[in-house]
Amino acid sequence: MRSYDLTPFYRSTVGFDRLFSLLDQATADGSPGYPPYNIERTGENAYRISVAVSGFAQGELSIVAKENTLTIKARNPPMRPMRTATRPKCCIAASPARAFERAFQLADFVQVKNASLENGLLHVDLVREIPEAKKPRSIPIAATVQAPQVVDGSAEKAAA
């Protein structure tokens, strides 16, 4: 893959640092792939993020929605004791799970509705709710429009 150096742009622009950082992250080969996740559209304004979190208990996961960022964190699971026939008690790792932090950028007006953990998958349901004031509205066009009445003669004085 071709690599682009955006360093000269950092020196000659002001206020675009975040844009160039996002471009650097998008073109980076070493993007984190753990844990695997899937984003699916479940409705016209509904989405679901599914993250593979097998090996983590519900208490070891945290979901934080702040401004337009959704962050999912997991801390290392503690060593869990396991009893076997040959060894009465020993400590082993329950799974090869490792701590992670995954952040998702959310569009405007996207809100987290709920989250659930089932069969090693963390499901986060999102809904885009646009306020009525921001929705486009249709303006009816009248066939005849009366010209506005001039109350004082300021319009005639301004024209003269």
Side-chain angles (χ1 to χ4, degrees):
M1 179 162 184
R2 179 171 279 172
S3 177
Y4 297 102
D5 184 22
L6 300 173
T7 307
F9 293 112
Y10 284 113
R11 290 189 298 258
S12 62
T13 59
V14 176
F16 291 97
D17 298 339
R18 184 168 180 252
L19 172 69
F20 291 124
S21 295
L22 289 173
L23 287 173
D24 279 340
Q25 291 173 0
T27 58
D29 290 335
S31 62
Y34 179 79
Y37 67 93
N38 188 28
I39 301 174
E40 56 188 325
R41 189 172 185 176
T42 58
E44 185 176 338
N45 289 320
Y47 303 89
R48 174 177 260 193
I49 298 174
S50 299
V51 182
V53 293
S54 63
F56 290 101
Q58 186 173 352
E60 298 164 348
L61 299 168
S62 70
I63 302 171
V64 177
K66 183 179 178 184
E67 295 175 1
N68 287 356
T69 303
L70 173 70
T71 306
I72 300 173
K73 294 181 186 179
R75 57 183 171 88
N76 281 333
M79 301 296 270
R80 295 187 177 102
M82 181 177 156
R83 296 178 187 259
T84 61
T86 57
R87 295 183 183 173
K89 190 175 186 180
C90 66
C91 290
I92 61 168
S95 70
R98 63 180 191 246
F100 69 87
E101 181 175 339
R102 170 79 64 178
F104 298 94
Q105 294 294 321
L106 303 178
D108 292 337
F109 312 116
V110 173
Q111 298 176 355
V112 178
K113 280 300 174 186
N114 60 15
S116 62
L117 180 64
E118 56 183 77
N119 299 328
L121 289 175
L122 176 66
H123 299 291
V124 181
D125 294 321
L126 309 167
V127 175
R128 184 173 184 206
E129 294 178 348
I130 301 173
E132 288 295 324
K134 299 288 183 176
K135 288 183 181 177
R137 59 186 180 106
S138 178
I139 310 293
I141 301 173
T144 59
V145 177
Q146 295 179 353
Q149 296 286 332
V150 178
V151 177
D152 60 354
S154 61
E156 295 172 4
K157 291 177 188 176

